[in-house]
Amino acid sequence: MARATGGRADQPAPCVEVTGVTKRYGATVALDDVSLEILPGTIHALVGENGAGKSTLLGVLAGRVAPTSGRVRIFGEPAALGNPRRARAAGVTAIYQELTIVPALDAAANVFLGTPLARSGWLARDRMRARFAELCRDFEVTIDPDVAAGGLSIADQQLLEIMRATQADSRVMLFDEPTASLGAPERAQLHALLRRLRSQGVTVVLVSHNLEEVLDLSDEITVFRDGRIADARPAVAWTKASLVEAMSGRRTALVTRTSRPPERTATDPVLTVTGLSAPGVLRDVTLDVAAGEIVGVAGLVGSGRTSLLRALAGLTPGAVGALTVDGRVTRLPRSVREAQRRGIALVPEDRKGQGLVLTASARVNIGLPDLHRSARAGWLSGRRLTDQAAEAARGFGFDPARLGQPVGQLSGGNQQKALLARWIYARPRVLLCDEPTRGIDIGAKEQILASLREFAGQGLAIVLASSEFEELVAACDRVVVLSRGRIVSVQRPGDGTVTPATLLRAAFDHQPFVEDSHVS
Amino acid sequence: MSADGTTTLERPVPAAREDARRSGQRLLGGLVNSPLTRLGTVWFLLLLVVLAGLLYPGFYDSGNLRNILSQNAPIGLIAVGMTFAMIGGGFDLSVGAVAAVSSVTVAKLTASVGLPQAVGLTLLVAAGLGLLNGLLVTRLSINPFVATLGTASIYSGAAYLISDSQPIVVTVPHFQWLGQGLVGGVPVSVWILAVVFAIGALALWGTVFGHCTYAVGGNREAARLAGIRVDLVQVVGYVVVALMAGLAGVLLTSRLGVGQADVGSDMTLDAITIVVVGGTSLFGGEGSVWRTGVGLLLLGVIINVADFQGWSGQLESILKGCVLLTAVGLDVLTRRLRARAGAAST
Ligand SMILES: Nc1ncnc2c1ncn2[C@@H]1O[C@H](COP(=O)(O)OP(=O)(O)OP(=O)(O)O)[C@@H](O)[C@H]1O
Ligand SMILES: [Mg+2]
């Protein structure tokens, strides 16, 4: 579907036309005079660094955000700006970066949110159930229609949103980082879905930090930088290197594999957990982490990665197992505070729900675990807090100028960086990271992984759960692979023979746990 | 086993103690999640009805049962309306004042216009007051507690002004039929209550409007982005609750034969108590009309027994407070247990 940008005469009329759109938030210019055309029946990708304005543009198209100035036409008709209802009526729906689920409503009701199947005002529950079952079949998932959506995993919640959009007969579908919370198989399924949508004539606008995915899927790629369009070309005219260059505005060496520290002499583990079980989610997991080591946790969605980390951080009440921290045998922590006292910190996967106070500034969010340190005699010193927060945030490429801004106003990727900075600020002994690079742009991702290595080098023990197996291979000394709540394999990327494919194969492997594989 | 029912593990075979602990947890989880215990208040009510029968020999007399229902009809109407407002994420502290305005308005109007017109106009006034509440909350984004606290004070003052702080005696014939008449041996007010409950329950459970109400109360932003007219849904909630308060005011006036500005004094808190005891969430998005029905009966029976025991109003008030806190406390407890039983996804 290569299309020369020059010859416009034979092209179909664009289905989305953005003309001179500017969006200001106070002094921040999120979008600066952006003009863009999207052709019907294509997959059009938007890429750019964190805070470049991609989500804001999607918000404008979907009626979530009212632009300060500018015009939008959908299929030639002027769009009602800032009105999600009218945008939907015009055939535009969005799957947002921060999920929009009604937690108390059941799964089926969430799929039909706003547009329930009904006959003259009465809900047609039978038809909705049948349709829900059909959608589940299409997506090859099993989700109980009656379970409250709030109890589902993030990946399942996102699937509900995608089902909602397909259900609403959208002609233009906007996806804001849809694959960020998905594992490899779900990701492949989503790719197939996007292609299927395109073949059905639906126009897809895709925001993603995964450049391989973008190059592979899209017809056109538009690069954003600082609220402006840096460049727009057909996908075939881009390479990964040229995309990175256009995003950052400078030539950078591409994704060098994080240099690995020399083999350490065996140190005693900082944290050892044995026989960790939690009803229904974890079974007899044994794991240890030494100072200076990064241990990866791989596995498919639902394999127990998050549960493992949560259990170590005191968030899974039913969990049992023996824990040793710094040679001292203790019980599993029963609360976050208890975990913190032992020096265990968790960076959770759901940054909004479990991590950040959205109305508070970034520096307060970073300093939250230990505000005492920035206080004198109970009085918080703003300057000390800023200094210490800035120091913690620097490692993750968080712009210090944004420290005073409420976290709710930061872009998704910058929120994630603030969350990471918080737990470095807390100076833990053991750092548990659940999907730490979700929603992070490619440049910053390298930086974050490099920083984690550096913190490990300073003696921190790190456990890193990720659905991006490339990342695990690049950053970890050891990777344990979970399947159905058990460790099924242990791999050592250090010797150079382990590839992401090795991990994926192991994750699919349901063979019982081999006895000696956890010995470090 | 896990919350989404997608992950299942074979049953583990750990040490015996472990095993016992787990099966204990499973049993607990099963109990907490079974439909019966979810309706904790239903059990509470049944227990109470049995106890009441033992304590109070005349409890099951049809006369007494009729009394319980007809005495609680006005407050029951308001509670149904409050259920709508609260599930939609709203809250209304002005219902007592709206009932008072309606009481004096209908009493005044009967003197000048026909009975149906008087009732119709009164309900219209009540709906208007609800509309004002709704607009304050949605258009001006005033916090619902603050907005309706303010209007409650205004409406209540207005009721005293309208009535000159005097009871207005209604002399029109037939007016008392609404509050005192019987149809097929059942008080008219109870018929009205039953019809309102049925309509309310159906509307919330089975209509698009009901669906939208749950969505708006459960996550306002998600509902807005899904294209739901969130303001409209909430305003309708406030109008419904005010309309019910108006109807309650009319029924009370008819039963007493006088319109008074102080009829609604206890009603606001009683209505909220009933809704919350029934198990509708204070934060919106969860609950149902039939739960409110259970809450209404629960409180009705307790007050009835207390009356029989000759308890004073003060004691009754203490009792109501205890019931409220017990019900809410139990609710929090079962939720916690349920969360524990089905803990953790992924
Ligand atoms: N509600 C808001 N109030 C103030 N500033 C905002 C708000 N929403 C976004 N911004 C700012 O607008 C800019 C663009 O944000 P946007 O969310 O569009 O970035 P993005 O390209 O989606 O980044 P990411 O890849 O991190 O998701 C950022 O500087 C952000 O801080
Ligand atoms: Mg974004």
Side-chain angles (χ1 to χ4, degrees):
Chain A
M1 292 215 63
R3 208 178 265 113
T5 22
R8 292 248 148 193
D10 56 335
Q11 280 178 6
C15 62
V16 176
E17 267 176 282
V18 177
T19 328
V21 163
T22 295
K23 175 65 188 178
R24 282 201 191 86
Y25 291 104
T28 321
V29 185
L31 289 175
D32 187 1
D33 193 22
V34 167
S35 298
L36 179 71
E37 289 185 355
I38 293 169
L39 299 175
T42 60
I43 298 182
H44 193 122
L46 310 180
V47 300
E49 292 188 334
N50 294 132
K54 309 173 296 287
S55 299
T56 309
L57 183 69
L58 291 198
V60 168
L61 296 182
R64 178 187 208 169
V65 173
T68 315
S69 62
R71 276 179 303 128
V72 177
R73 285 174 170 272
I74 308 287
F75 293 103
E77 300 290 321
L81 298 169
N83 184 333
R85 186 182 173 77
R86 301 269 295 274
R88 265 177 93 101
V92 182
T93 45
I95 290 94
Y96 293 99
Q97 195 170 5
E98 312 300 346
L99 299 178
T100 57
I101 283 287
V102 182
L105 278 184
D106 61 48
N110 265 291
V111 167
F112 296 96
L113 197 72
T115 47
L117 302 181
R119 204 173 296 115
S120 51
W122 292 94
L123 297 176
R125 283 181 199 270
D126 294 350
R127 268 167 59 214
M128 285 197 270
R129 283 183 159 262
R131 183 85 187 93
F132 182 81
E134 233 173 80
L135 286 166
C136 281
R137 254 197 315 282
D138 285 356
F139 286 86
E140 297 173 35
V141 287
T142 39
I143 299 178
D144 178 359
D146 292 321
V147 73
L152 294 173
S153 71
I154 296 207
D156 282 349
Q157 292 184 358
Q158 185 177 39
L159 270 170
L160 293 184
E161 294 217 27
I162 297 173
M163 289 183 193
R164 188 194 295 166
T166 45
Q167 164 58 28
D169 263 339
S170 321
R171 292 188 293 172
V172 180
M173 281 172 61
L174 318 174
F175 288 85
D176 202 348
E177 298 184 31
T179 52
S181 42
L182 301 183
E186 288 90 356
R187 212 174 293 172
Q189 260 169 27
L190 185 77
H191 292 169
L193 171 78
L194 294 183
R195 292 204 172 93
R196 197 165 74 223
L197 287 171
R198 171 173 59 188
S199 70
Q200 290 163 357
V202 176
T203 310
V204 173
V205 182
L206 172 70
V207 172
S208 173
H209 289 299
N210 186 332
L211 298 182
E212 280 92 3
E213 165 180 290
V214 162
L215 285 165
D216 185 36
L217 280 173
S218 32
D219 303 305
E220 307 267 342
I221 303 178
T222 300
V223 177
F224 277 71
R225 189 168 70 225
D226 298 333
R228 289 197 206 97
I229 291 179
D231 201 352
R233 299 184 213 161
V236 288
W238 286 106
T239 63
K240 199 170 165 190
S242 62
L243 279 174
V244 171
E245 197 185 320
M247 279 164 63
S248 64
R250 57 188 180 267
R251 266 205 123 68
T252 40
L254 189 65
V255 194
T256 48
R257 191 177 145 114
T258 321
S259 64
R260 195 163 283 291
E263 276 299 306
R264 290 178 326 279
T265 47
T267 47
D268 286 335
V270 174
L271 176 142
T272 310
V273 65
T274 43
L276 174 60
S277 297
V281 285
L282 285 177
R283 218 190 122 177
D284 198 19
V285 171
T286 294
L287 182 76
D288 57 58
V289 205
E293 191 181 32
I294 302 186
V295 175
V297 182
L300 306 179
V301 169
S303 60
R305 289 174 311 193
T306 296
S307 307
L308 171 58
L309 266 51
R310 287 173 63 86
L312 293 176
L315 287 167
T316 305
V320 292
L323 183 70
T324 314
V325 182
D326 279 332
R328 274 188 46 223
V329 183
T330 56
R331 59 173 190 184
L332 277 177
R334 301 249 171 93
S335 68
V336 178
R337 280 189 74 85
E338 193 176 334
Q340 261 186 46
R341 274 199 301 277
R342 313 245 168 90
I344 303 174
L346 170 69
V347 182
E349 64 170 341
D350 168 14
R351 57 179 168 253
K352 276 220 171 144
Q354 301 160 10
L356 297 166
V357 184
L358 293 177
T359 48
S361 67
R363 57 178 194 171
V364 167
N365 268 286
I366 293 172
L368 210 54
D370 187 9
L371 285 170
H372 291 295
R373 206 188 319 144
S374 300
R376 228 180 240 127
W379 290 94
L380 201 58
S381 148
R383 206 163 39 80
R384 282 171 63 138
L385 181 60
T386 308
D387 290 348
Q388 302 210 16
E391 192 189 316
R394 194 172 40 226
F396 300 110
F398 185 93
D399 178 5
R402 292 187 181 281
L403 281 171
Q405 220 171 344
V407 164
Q409 298 181 1
L410 296 176
S411 77
N414 284 324
Q415 293 183 358
Q416 183 67 30
K417 292 178 195 168
L419 193 57
L420 280 161
R422 164 193 293 179
W423 294 112
I424 288 302
Y425 172 95
R427 297 183 190 152
R429 299 275 292 126
V430 183
L431 183 68
L432 314 170
C433 302
D434 199 358
E435 304 282 353
T437 62
R438 163 179 303 164
I440 296 276
D441 69 52
I442 182 159
K445 185 180 282 190
E446 282 301 305
Q447 197 175 3
I448 284 174
L449 293 180
S451 302
L452 287 179
R453 277 247 66 106
E454 201 183 309
F455 288 122
Q458 293 163 13
L460 188 65
I462 297 177
V463 181
L464 174 67
S466 173
S467 37
E468 298 207 12
F469 295 169
E470 300 80 12
E471 187 171 300
L472 293 176
V473 170
C476 299
D477 300 297
R478 216 162 16 118
V479 180
V480 299
V481 183
L482 285 179
S483 171
R484 306 219 279 156
R486 298 206 272 186
I487 294 184
V488 291
S489 159
V490 176
Q491 307 281 341
R492 293 171 182 282
D495 57 21
T497 58
V498 178
T499 64
T502 324
L503 296 181
L504 189 59
R505 259 199 312 280
F508 271 114
D509 186 9
H510 288 186
Q511 291 310 302
F513 170 45
V514 186
E515 226 3 272
D516 63 350
S517 51
H518 65 267
V519 182
S520 105
Chain B
M1 300 200 65
S2 79
D4 56 9
T6 49
T7 352
T8 38
L9 291 179
E10 324 87 87
R11 197 160 182 284
V13 238
R17 197 169 62 91
E18 192 62 353
D19 199 40
R21 185 191 154 127
R22 268 182 224 193
S23 59
Q25 271 176 355
R26 190 163 313 137
L27 187 68
L28 192 65
L31 258 178
V32 170
N33 278 313
S34 78
L36 290 177
T37 41
R38 274 186 185 212
L39 319 177
T41 42
V42 174
W43 289 110
F44 199 9
L45 177 62
L46 286 179
L47 184 77
L48 210 70
V49 167
V50 171
L51 270 180
L54 296 177
L55 280 173
Y56 173 15
F59 179 79
Y60 293 117
D61 287 357
S62 61
N64 184 50
L65 294 180
R66 195 189 300 153
N67 243 340
I68 295 181
L69 288 176
S70 66
Q71 269 175 3
N72 287 294
I75 193 69
L77 293 174
I78 300 184
V80 172
M82 191 70 86
T83 311
F84 274 80
M86 278 171 59
I87 289 177
F91 202 78
D92 193 345
L93 290 174
S94 74
V95 284
V98 173
V101 170
S102 308
S103 172
V104 296
T105 308
V106 77
K108 265 238 148 112
L109 283 174
T110 45
S112 41
V113 298
L115 200 49
Q117 288 90 329
V119 173
L121 280 173
T122 305
L123 294 184
L124 215 58
V125 168
L129 299 181
L131 184 65
L132 181 60
N133 283 337
L135 292 179
L136 287 175
V137 170
T138 55
R139 289 287 123 159
L140 299 185
S141 318
I142 301 178
N143 174 296
F145 286 85
V146 179
T148 56
L149 194 64
T151 55
S153 182
I154 296 172
Y155 299 165
S156 157
Y160 281 100
L161 279 183
I162 295 171
S163 66
D164 243 347
S165 305
Q166 299 295 320
I168 307 171
V169 181
V170 184
T171 49
V172 200
H174 306 305
F175 181 62
Q176 311 225 325
W177 178 79
L178 270 180
Q180 296 174 4
L182 293 178
V183 170
V186 175
V188 176
S189 57
V190 174
W191 282 114
I192 294 179
L193 181 68
V195 169
V196 164
F197 258 99
I199 295 177
L202 271 179
L204 263 182
W205 176 80
T207 67
V208 174
F209 171 71
H211 167 92
C212 293
T213 304
Y214 281 101
V216 171
N219 184 344
R220 197 169 194 278
E221 179 66 359
R224 185 179 81 88
L225 294 176
I228 294 174
R229 279 175 285 202
V230 288
D231 284 358
L232 182 69
V233 170
Q234 286 194 316
V235 167
V236 170
Y238 283 102
V239 170
V240 167
V241 64
L243 202 59
M244 290 301 113
L247 193 55
V250 170
L251 282 191
L252 271 175
T253 311
S254 158
R255 196 167 77 208
L256 303 172
V258 284
Q260 273 174 299
D262 60 359
V263 290
S265 49
D266 287 341
M267 292 189 118
T268 306
L269 292 184
D270 282 356
I272 293 169
T273 305
I274 288 166
V275 175
V276 173
V277 164
T280 291
S281 164
L282 262 178
F283 307 104
E286 281 173 277
S288 67
V289 165
W290 75 262
R291 278 171 169 276
T292 297
V294 175
L296 177 68
L297 291 177
L298 204 70
L299 250 80
V301 170
I302 286 177
I303 299 302
N304 184 254
V305 174
D307 277 345
F308 165 75
Q309 301 281 356
W311 288 8
S312 65
Q314 291 89 319
L315 268 178
E316 274 179 20
S317 161
I318 291 175
L319 194 62
K320 267 191 237 169
C322 292
V323 171
L324 174 71
L325 293 178
T326 314
V328 175
L330 278 176
D331 190 45
V332 171
L333 202 70
T334 47
R335 255 170 228 256
R336 216 173 267 170
L337 288 174
R338 210 179 290 157
R340 186 165 296 193
S345 46
T346 318

